[in-house]
Amino acid sequence: MTNQLSRRRFIRISAALAGLAVAPSRAHAADSTSGLVEWRGTLLGAVATIKLHHRDRQEAERLITVSIGEARRLERLFSLYLEQSALVTLNRTGVLVDPAPELVDILTRSQRYAAMTDGRFDPTVQPLWTLYADHFSRPDANPDGPPQAAVQEALTRVGHQRLSVSRDRIVMPRGMALTLNGIAQGYVTDRIVELLRGEGVQHSLVDMGEARAIGARPDARPWEVGIADPDNPDRIAAMLPIIDRAVSTSGAYGLRFDPRGRFNHLFDPHSGGCAQRYRSVTTVAGNATAADALSTAFSLMSEPEIRALLPRTEIERVHLIDAAGAAVDLVG
């Protein structure tokens, strides 16, 4: 029971510590002078916000209510900490018959990003998460991490190639388990953006754990998305102006299992180790799903590897802060 509770705690913490920030807001707060209605809450364990400009406040509040309803529906599919979610059921049974179309879609995209990045992005790394969470939840945990034999055993249950996804069923071998923590927040953000655009919204900033703008602000100024300081994630290190773009940040600081920060939530599906190459990786793309998944993958790739892959991706810009604190900008 202790280890199960510890895993849930780790899941909540890792989802809540995001690398992006928007200005604080209150649930359904409205600014009558600017036509801005703001919502702030929690989704997939992370702080979520919607900033919506609309000339009709009641309509704006209706659209936010509909958006949050859709986000909650997707959360019931993708969550690791809702016991009855579709993902938890799949991890428990190894098979889902007649799965929800959105689960098929997100896993199909996950498979595509896994193939594109030579498995650096891999939704099947959940056994590594369980191993590290169990290890570091013990009061006498070895600070050098889990034994290598245990890491190698967990790796035998990792591998996106063994996941079968179709409209009729999703199947994986016994002992494997999935996590969508590296893509679900971006995916939900995109779905809300599509919903709002379908309702005629022209000016909004949606952040369901990853941020994406609809258009610019009504005065034509860009929206501003903050990038957290890796050394002090409560502080904003830089602001990115965006119009019709999505931004995602991945960083080892999001969750560190040990006080020294040698072990974190960004797992290498090849070695079973943890990302150490960068303090943070920020991606800018036309959609939040790509930005989310590829910021995770790039955390495990060298700068030359990222440069070589960029032309094949939807990523337009990458902002790297390396282990020494030096910043590099790459353009797709």
Side-chain angles (χ1 to χ4, degrees):
M1 177 63 72
T2 299
N3 287 346
Q4 184 180 14
L5 291 174
S6 297
R7 285 197 296 274
R8 289 178 187 170
R9 177 172 61 85
F10 278 131
I11 290 168
R12 286 181 170 88
I13 292 171
S14 67
L17 293 174
L20 303 175
V22 293
S25 56
R26 294 176 295 175
H28 288 279
D31 182 339
S32 60
T33 60
S34 67
L36 176 65
V37 177
E38 302 181 45
W39 173 88
R40 181 182 178 94
T42 302
L43 185 82
L44 290 167
V47 173
T49 60
I50 297 176
K51 295 186 173 186
L52 176 59
H53 283 277
H54 201 287
R55 59 188 177 187
D56 184 333
R57 174 178 170 176
Q58 281 191 321
E59 177 64 4
E61 292 186 341
R62 184 190 72 81
L63 290 174
I64 286 177
T65 297
V66 171
S67 297
I68 300 312
E70 173 65 1
R72 296 292 183 211
R73 184 183 71 84
L74 294 172
E75 182 177 40
R76 290 191 292 273
L77 297 177
F78 304 152
S79 173
L80 272 175
Y81 59 87
L82 294 179
E83 294 294 340
Q84 302 304 315
S85 77
L87 184 62
V88 169
T89 301
L90 175 59
N91 284 345
R92 184 173 61 248
T93 64
V95 60
L96 276 183
V97 178
D98 194 22
E102 295 86 358
L103 187 58
V104 173
D105 187 28
I106 197 172
L107 287 175
T108 300
R109 295 190 190 195
S110 294
Q111 294 285 62
R112 181 164 68 87
Y113 290 124
M116 179 186 295
T117 61
D118 190 27
R120 266 57 168 259
F121 177 85
D122 192 327
T124 71
V125 295
Q126 186 62 15
L128 289 169
W129 171 273
T130 301
L131 173 65
Y132 280 85
D134 281 350
H135 176 82
F136 283 104
S137 68
R138 300 187 186 108
D140 60 345
N142 184 335
D144 291 328
Q148 275 304 301
V151 173
Q152 293 304 312
E153 190 283 327
L155 282 173
T156 66
R157 294 179 283 121
V158 173
H160 67 93
Q161 303 91 336
R162 289 182 286 163
L163 174 66
S164 175
V165 181
S166 72
R167 289 180 296 176
D168 299 323
R169 65 181 58 210
I170 301 168
V171 182
M172 60 187 177
R174 184 176 298 275
M176 289 185 69
L178 303 180
T179 174
L180 296 173
N181 283 354
I183 192 171
Q185 292 173 340
Y187 185 89
V188 175
T189 296
D190 283 339
R191 291 300 295 260
I192 300 308
V193 165
E194 291 165 10
L195 186 158
L196 292 174
R197 275 194 166 143
E199 294 282 354
V201 172
Q202 298 180 351
H203 308 287
S204 182
L205 183 66
V206 178
D207 187 342
M208 300 287 113
E210 311 299 343
R212 182 175 171 184
I214 299 175
R217 296 175 185 268
D219 61 4
R221 290 186 299 123
W223 296 94
E224 290 191 329
V225 175
I227 300 177
D229 181 345
D231 296 322
N232 181 8
D234 291 331
R235 190 180 79 84
I236 301 301
M239 299 297 291
L240 281 181
I242 60 170
I243 297 174
D244 270 329
R245 289 296 178 270
V247 181
S248 174
T249 293
S250 292
Y253 62 86
L255 188 149
R256 294 170 174 165
F257 289 102
D258 63 315
R260 293 172 59 188
R262 295 168 59 199
F263 304 100
N264 59 73
H265 68 294
L266 295 172
F267 300 110
D268 187 336
H270 293 178
S271 69
C274 302
Q276 299 289 340
R277 193 184 297 269
Y278 307 107
R279 294 188 184 183
S280 73
V281 176
T282 299
T283 53
V284 179
N287 69 87
T289 305
D292 194 3
L294 291 172
S295 68
T296 302
F298 291 168
S299 298
L300 297 164
M301 299 172 68
S302 68
E303 184 182 327
E305 288 175 319
I306 296 171
R307 287 185 186 275
L309 185 61
L310 273 181
R312 296 168 46 203
T313 73
E314 301 110 307
I315 304 302
E316 300 172 2
R317 176 184 171 191
V318 183
H319 181 74
L320 305 173
I321 301 178
D322 67 18
V328 177
D329 279 300
L330 310 179
V331 178

